[in-house]
PDB file of all heavy atoms in Angstrom:
ATOM      1  N   ILE A   1     -16.401 -17.179  22.345  1.00  0.00           N
ATOM      2  CA  ILE A   1     -16.682 -17.845  21.100  1.00  0.00           C
ATOM      3  C   ILE A   1     -16.721 -19.330  21.311  1.00  0.00           C
ATOM      4  O   ILE A   1     -15.915 -19.896  22.119  1.00  0.00           O
ATOM      5  CB  ILE A   1     -15.593 -17.537  20.040  1.00  0.00           C
ATOM      6  CG1 ILE A   1     -15.336 -16.032  19.974  1.00  0.00           C
ATOM      7  CG2 ILE A   1     -16.025 -18.008  18.629  1.00  0.00           C
ATOM      8  CD1 ILE A   1     -14.111 -15.641  19.151  1.00  0.00           C
ATOM      9  N   CYS A   2     -17.581 -20.066  20.617  1.00  0.00           N
ATOM     10  CA  CYS A   2     -17.925 -21.456  20.866  1.00  0.00           C
ATOM     11  C   CYS A   2     -16.656 -22.366  20.967  1.00  0.00           C
ATOM     12  O   CYS A   2     -16.258 -22.870  22.005  1.00  0.00           O
ATOM     13  CB  CYS A   2     -18.856 -22.011  19.840  1.00  0.00           C
ATOM     14  SG  CYS A   2     -20.406 -21.132  19.595  1.00  0.00           S
ATOM     15  N   GLN A   3     -16.096 -22.616  19.779  1.00  0.00           N
ATOM     16  CA  GLN A   3     -15.039 -23.608  19.622  1.00  0.00           C
ATOM     17  C   GLN A   3     -13.842 -23.357  20.531  1.00  0.00           C
ATOM     18  O   GLN A   3     -13.393 -24.291  21.258  1.00  0.00           O
ATOM     19  CB  GLN A   3     -14.621 -23.731  18.174  1.00  0.00           C
ATOM     20  CG  GLN A   3     -13.770 -24.951  17.841  1.00  0.00           C
ATOM     21  CD  GLN A   3     -13.582 -25.097  16.302  1.00  0.00           C
ATOM     22  OE1 GLN A   3     -14.017 -24.290  15.557  1.00  0.00           O
ATOM     23  NE2 GLN A   3     -12.873 -26.156  15.962  1.00  0.00           N
ATOM     24  N   PRO A   4     -13.290 -22.146  20.541  1.00  0.00           N
ATOM     25  CA  PRO A   4     -12.089 -21.939  21.369  1.00  0.00           C
ATOM     26  C   PRO A   4     -12.384 -21.994  22.910  1.00  0.00           C
ATOM     27  O   PRO A   4     -11.572 -22.438  23.659  1.00  0.00           O
ATOM     28  CB  PRO A   4     -11.588 -20.537  20.948  1.00  0.00           C
ATOM     29  CG  PRO A   4     -12.770 -19.911  20.275  1.00  0.00           C
ATOM     30  CD  PRO A   4     -13.492 -21.022  19.654  1.00  0.00           C
ATOM     31  N   ASN A   5     -13.578 -21.540  23.274  1.00  0.00           N
ATOM     32  CA  ASN A   5     -13.839 -21.669  24.782  1.00  0.00           C
ATOM     33  C   ASN A   5     -14.053 -23.080  25.202  1.00  0.00           C
ATOM     34  O   ASN A   5     -13.698 -23.476  26.324  1.00  0.00           O
ATOM     35  CB  ASN A   5     -14.967 -20.719  25.192  1.00  0.00           C
ATOM     36  CG  ASN A   5     -14.910 -20.469  26.637  1.00  0.00           C
ATOM     37  OD1 ASN A   5     -13.952 -19.872  27.156  1.00  0.00           O
ATOM     38  ND2 ASN A   5     -15.965 -20.795  27.412  1.00  0.00           N
ATOM     39  N   ARG A   6     -14.623 -23.874  24.307  1.00  0.00           N
ATOM     40  CA  ARG A   6     -14.753 -25.292  24.673  1.00  0.00           C
ATOM     41  C   ARG A   6     -13.383 -25.952  24.716  1.00  0.00           C
ATOM     42  O   ARG A   6     -13.160 -26.855  25.605  1.00  0.00           O
ATOM     43  CB  ARG A   6     -15.647 -26.014  23.618  1.00  0.00           C
ATOM     44  CG  ARG A   6     -17.106 -25.601  23.741  1.00  0.00           C
ATOM     45  CD  ARG A   6     -17.990 -26.085  22.584  1.00  0.00           C
ATOM     46  NE  ARG A   6     -19.363 -25.696  22.810  1.00  0.00           N
ATOM     47  CZ  ARG A   6     -20.322 -26.470  23.304  1.00  0.00           C
ATOM     48  NH1 ARG A   6     -20.040 -27.724  23.676  1.00  0.00           N
ATOM     49  NH2 ARG A   6     -21.554 -25.985  23.476  1.00  0.00           N
ATOM     50  N   ALA A   7     -12.446 -25.564  23.882  1.00  0.00           N
ATOM     51  CA  ALA A   7     -11.084 -26.079  23.975  1.00  0.00           C
ATOM     52  C   ALA A   7     -10.428 -25.658  25.260  1.00  0.00           C
ATOM     53  O   ALA A   7      -9.740 -26.381  25.883  1.00  0.00           O
ATOM     54  CB  ALA A   7     -10.296 -25.590  22.746  1.00  0.00           C
ATOM     55  N   ALA A   8     -10.717 -24.444  25.721  1.00  0.00           N
ATOM     56  CA  ALA A   8     -10.152 -23.956  26.942  1.00  0.00           C
ATOM     57  C   ALA A   8     -10.723 -24.780  28.119  1.00  0.00           C
ATOM     58  O   ALA A   8     -10.024 -25.143  29.100  1.00  0.00           O
ATOM     59  CB  ALA A   8     -10.442 -22.483  27.151  1.00  0.00           C
ATOM     60  N   LEU A   9     -11.992 -25.012  28.123  1.00  0.00           N
ATOM     61  CA  LEU A   9     -12.644 -25.847  29.182  1.00  0.00           C
ATOM     62  C   LEU A   9     -12.036 -27.258  29.189  1.00  0.00           C
ATOM     63  O   LEU A   9     -11.799 -27.830  30.329  1.00  0.00           O
ATOM     64  CB  LEU A   9     -14.155 -25.929  28.957  1.00  0.00           C
ATOM     65  CG  LEU A   9     -14.981 -24.717  29.184  1.00  0.00           C
ATOM     66  CD1 LEU A   9     -16.316 -24.828  28.541  1.00  0.00           C
ATOM     67  CD2 LEU A   9     -15.120 -24.469  30.678  1.00  0.00           C
ATOM     68  N   MET A  10     -11.782 -27.826  28.021  1.00  0.00           N
ATOM     69  CA  MET A  10     -11.241 -29.194  28.003  1.00  0.00           C
ATOM     70  C   MET A  10      -9.817 -29.317  28.413  1.00  0.00           C
ATOM     71  O   MET A  10      -9.382 -30.269  29.011  1.00  0.00           O
ATOM     72  CB  MET A  10     -11.433 -29.781  26.587  1.00  0.00           C
ATOM     73  CG  MET A  10     -12.826 -29.999  26.162  1.00  0.00           C
ATOM     74  SD  MET A  10     -13.652 -31.267  27.144  1.00  0.00           S
ATOM     75  CE  MET A  10     -12.675 -32.687  26.810  1.00  0.00           C
ATOM     76  N   THR A  11      -8.973 -28.307  28.013  1.00  0.00           N
ATOM     77  CA  THR A  11      -7.556 -28.389  28.191  1.00  0.00           C
ATOM     78  C   THR A  11      -7.023 -27.609  29.411  1.00  0.00           C
ATOM     79  O   THR A  11      -5.872 -27.836  29.829  1.00  0.00           O
ATOM     80  CB  THR A  11      -6.771 -27.855  26.963  1.00  0.00           C
ATOM     81  OG1 THR A  11      -7.101 -26.437  26.787  1.00  0.00           O
ATOM     82  CG2 THR A  11      -7.214 -28.625  25.693  1.00  0.00           C
ATOM     83  N   GLY A  12      -7.807 -26.760  29.937  1.00  0.00           N
ATOM     84  CA  GLY A  12      -7.313 -25.882  31.062  1.00  0.00           C
ATOM     85  C   GLY A  12      -6.287 -24.889  30.560  1.00  0.00           C
ATOM     86  O   GLY A  12      -5.529 -24.358  31.367  1.00  0.00           O
ATOM     87  N   GLN A  13      -6.301 -24.527  29.299  1.00  0.00           N
ATOM     88  CA  GLN A  13      -5.296 -23.625  28.684  1.00  0.00           C
ATOM     89  C   GLN A  13      -5.957 -22.464  28.002  1.00  0.00           C
ATOM     90  O   GLN A  13      -7.030 -22.623  27.410  1.00  0.00           O
ATOM     91  CB  GLN A  13      -4.442 -24.388  27.678  1.00  0.00           C
ATOM     92  CG  GLN A  13      -3.555 -25.460  28.265  1.00  0.00           C
ATOM     93  CD  GLN A  13      -2.720 -26.162  27.214  1.00  0.00           C
ATOM     94  OE1 GLN A  13      -3.200 -26.403  26.123  1.00  0.00           O
ATOM     95  NE2 GLN A  13      -1.454 -26.431  27.530  1.00  0.00           N
ATOM     96  N   MET A  14      -5.297 -21.325  28.001  1.00  0.00           N
ATOM     97  CA  MET A  14      -5.684 -20.198  27.242  1.00  0.00           C
ATOM     98  C   MET A  14      -5.733 -20.582  25.771  1.00  0.00           C
ATOM     99  O   MET A  14      -4.900 -21.409  25.302  1.00  0.00           O
ATOM    100  CB  MET A  14      -4.847 -18.995  27.482  1.00  0.00           C
ATOM    101  CG  MET A  14      -4.790 -18.476  28.896  1.00  0.00           C
ATOM    102  SD  MET A  14      -6.346 -17.883  29.505  1.00  0.00           S
ATOM    103  CE  MET A  14      -6.610 -16.450  28.427  1.00  0.00           C
ATOM    104  N   THR A  15      -6.487 -19.899  24.955  1.00  0.00           N
ATOM    105  CA  THR A  15      -6.506 -20.161  23.529  1.00  0.00           C
ATOM    106  C   THR A  15      -5.211 -19.851  22.824  1.00  0.00           C
ATOM    107  O   THR A  15      -4.867 -20.484  21.860  1.00  0.00           O
ATOM    108  CB  THR A  15      -7.666 -19.353  22.824  1.00  0.00           C
ATOM    109  OG1 THR A  15      -7.425 -17.981  22.986  1.00  0.00           O
ATOM    110  CG2 THR A  15      -8.953 -19.694  23.505  1.00  0.00           C
ATOM    111  N   SER A  16      -4.455 -18.871  23.360  1.00  0.00           N
ATOM    112  CA  SER A  16      -3.153 -18.590  22.801  1.00  0.00           C
ATOM    113  C   SER A  16      -2.141 -19.671  23.000  1.00  0.00           C
ATOM    114  O   SER A  16      -1.090 -19.737  22.372  1.00  0.00           O
ATOM    115  CB  SER A  16      -2.589 -17.281  23.366  1.00  0.00           C
ATOM    116  OG  SER A  16      -2.553 -17.313  24.769  1.00  0.00           O
ATOM    117  N   VAL A  17      -2.459 -20.629  23.933  1.00  0.00           N
ATOM    118  CA  VAL A  17      -1.583 -21.731  24.248  1.00  0.00           C
ATOM    119  C   VAL A  17      -2.063 -23.042  23.564  1.00  0.00           C
ATOM    120  O   VAL A  17      -1.280 -23.763  23.025  1.00  0.00           O
ATOM    121  CB  VAL A  17      -1.447 -21.892  25.754  1.00  0.00           C
ATOM    122  CG1 VAL A  17      -0.658 -23.191  26.150  1.00  0.00           C
ATOM    123  CG2 VAL A  17      -0.778 -20.693  26.355  1.00  0.00           C
ATOM    124  N   ASN A  18      -3.349 -23.298  23.665  1.00  0.00           N
ATOM    125  CA  ASN A  18      -3.870 -24.549  23.067  1.00  0.00           C
ATOM    126  C   ASN A  18      -4.043 -24.416  21.526  1.00  0.00           C
ATOM    127  O   ASN A  18      -4.246 -25.422  20.850  1.00  0.00           O
ATOM    128  CB  ASN A  18      -5.116 -25.052  23.716  1.00  0.00           C
ATOM    129  CG  ASN A  18      -6.307 -24.125  23.505  1.00  0.00           C
ATOM    130  OD1 ASN A  18      -6.543 -23.637  22.416  1.00  0.00           O
ATOM    131  ND2 ASN A  18      -7.136 -23.974  24.535  1.00  0.00           N
ATOM    132  N   GLY A  19      -3.893 -23.214  21.001  1.00  0.00           N
ATOM    133  CA  GLY A  19      -3.843 -22.993  19.573  1.00  0.00           C
ATOM    134  C   GLY A  19      -5.244 -22.817  18.951  1.00  0.00           C
ATOM    135  O   GLY A  19      -5.288 -22.394  17.801  1.00  0.00           O
ATOM    136  N   CYS A  20      -6.312 -23.117  19.663  1.00  0.00           N
ATOM    137  CA  CYS A  20      -7.656 -22.974  19.119  1.00  0.00           C
ATOM    138  C   CYS A  20      -8.120 -21.549  19.466  1.00  0.00           C
ATOM    139  O   CYS A  20      -8.995 -21.378  20.314  1.00  0.00           O
ATOM    140  CB  CYS A  20      -8.557 -24.048  19.762  1.00  0.00           C
ATOM    141  SG  CYS A  20     -10.237 -24.053  19.013  1.00  0.00           S
ATOM    142  N   ARG A  21      -7.587 -20.590  18.693  1.00  0.00           N
ATOM    143  CA  ARG A  21      -7.864 -19.217  19.073  1.00  0.00           C
ATOM    144  C   ARG A  21      -9.151 -18.665  18.415  1.00  0.00           C
ATOM    145  O   ARG A  21      -9.542 -17.521  18.786  1.00  0.00           O
ATOM    146  CB  ARG A  21      -6.642 -18.338  18.644  1.00  0.00           C
ATOM    147  CG  ARG A  21      -6.399 -18.300  17.118  1.00  0.00           C
ATOM    148  CD  ARG A  21      -5.154 -17.569  16.827  1.00  0.00           C
ATOM    149  NE  ARG A  21      -4.962 -17.512  15.337  1.00  0.00           N
ATOM    150  CZ  ARG A  21      -4.269 -18.420  14.662  1.00  0.00           C
ATOM    151  NH1 ARG A  21      -3.713 -19.456  15.303  1.00  0.00           N
ATOM    152  NH2 ARG A  21      -4.139 -18.378  13.349  1.00  0.00           N
ATOM    153  N   GLN A  22      -9.759 -19.374  17.506  1.00  0.00           N
ATOM    154  CA  GLN A  22     -10.967 -18.895  16.855  1.00  0.00           C
ATOM    155  C   GLN A  22     -11.769 -20.074  16.352  1.00  0.00           C
ATOM    156  O   GLN A  22     -11.194 -21.178  16.235  1.00  0.00           O
ATOM    157  CB  GLN A  22     -10.622 -17.945  15.695  1.00  0.00           C
ATOM    158  CG  GLN A  22      -9.930 -18.683  14.535  1.00  0.00           C
ATOM    159  CD  GLN A  22      -9.455 -17.751  13.460  1.00  0.00           C
ATOM    160  OE1 GLN A  22      -8.518 -17.007  13.655  1.00  0.00           O
ATOM    161  NE2 GLN A  22     -10.137 -17.853  12.299  1.00  0.00           N
ATOM    162  N   ASN A  23     -13.030 -19.858  16.004  1.00  0.00           N
ATOM    163  CA  ASN A  23     -13.790 -20.875  15.292  1.00  0.00           C
ATOM    164  C   ASN A  23     -13.054 -21.186  14.006  1.00  0.00           C
ATOM    165  O   ASN A  23     -12.597 -20.305  13.299  1.00  0.00           O
ATOM    166  CB  ASN A  23     -15.172 -20.412  15.002  1.00  0.00           C
ATOM    167  CG  ASN A  23     -16.125 -20.501  16.160  1.00  0.00           C
ATOM    168  OD1 ASN A  23     -15.797 -21.092  17.200  1.00  0.00           O
ATOM    169  ND2 ASN A  23     -17.340 -19.979  16.021  1.00  0.00           N
ATOM    170  N   GLY A  24     -12.909 -22.497  13.708  1.00  0.00           N
ATOM    171  CA  GLY A  24     -12.269 -22.922  12.490  1.00  0.00           C
ATOM    172  C   GLY A  24     -10.867 -23.505  12.724  1.00  0.00           C
ATOM    173  O   GLY A  24     -10.215 -23.978  11.773  1.00  0.00           O
ATOM    174  N   ILE A  25     -10.412 -23.464  13.968  1.00  0.00           N
ATOM    175  CA  ILE A  25      -9.157 -24.124  14.339  1.00  0.00           C
ATOM    176  C   ILE A  25      -9.470 -25.229  15.311  1.00  0.00           C
ATOM    177  O   ILE A  25      -9.926 -25.001  16.417  1.00  0.00           O
ATOM    178  CB  ILE A  25      -8.118 -23.148  14.974  1.00  0.00           C
ATOM    179  CG1 ILE A  25      -7.840 -22.016  13.993  1.00  0.00           C
ATOM    180  CG2 ILE A  25      -6.860 -23.937  15.370  1.00  0.00           C
ATOM    181  CD1 ILE A  25      -6.830 -21.013  14.602  1.00  0.00           C
ATOM    182  N   PRO A  26      -9.351 -26.506  14.915  1.00  0.00           N
ATOM    183  CA  PRO A  26      -9.686 -27.642  15.778  1.00  0.00           C
ATOM    184  C   PRO A  26      -8.768 -27.674  16.994  1.00  0.00           C
ATOM    185  O   PRO A  26      -7.701 -27.182  17.010  1.00  0.00           O
ATOM    186  CB  PRO A  26      -9.484 -28.897  14.913  1.00  0.00           C
ATOM    187  CG  PRO A  26      -9.367 -28.408  13.534  1.00  0.00           C
ATOM    188  CD  PRO A  26      -8.861 -26.996  13.601  1.00  0.00           C
ATOM    189  N   MET A  27      -9.332 -28.340  18.002  1.00  0.00           N
ATOM    190  CA  MET A  27      -8.436 -28.665  19.185  1.00  0.00           C
ATOM    191  C   MET A  27      -7.468 -29.758  18.719  1.00  0.00           C
ATOM    192  O   MET A  27      -7.875 -30.743  18.098  1.00  0.00           O
ATOM    193  CB  MET A  27      -9.333 -29.164  20.345  1.00  0.00           C
ATOM    194  CG  MET A  27      -8.564 -29.368  21.636  1.00  0.00           C
ATOM    195  SD  MET A  27      -9.622 -29.463  23.106  1.00  0.00           S
ATOM    196  CE  MET A  27     -10.701 -30.828  22.653  1.00  0.00           C
ATOM    197  N   GLY A  28      -6.208 -29.621  19.120  1.00  0.00           N
ATOM    198  CA  GLY A  28      -5.219 -30.557  18.675  1.00  0.00           C
ATOM    199  C   GLY A  28      -5.481 -32.019  19.210  1.00  0.00           C
ATOM    200  O   GLY A  28      -5.828 -32.194  20.351  1.00  0.00           O
TER     201      GLY A  28
END
């Protein structure tokens, strides 16, 4: 999914850790 995988690319973290687990949750 777009938004969470981009957060994973940016942070090097799984979505369950960076919190952006779905579209609609911003990267912190």
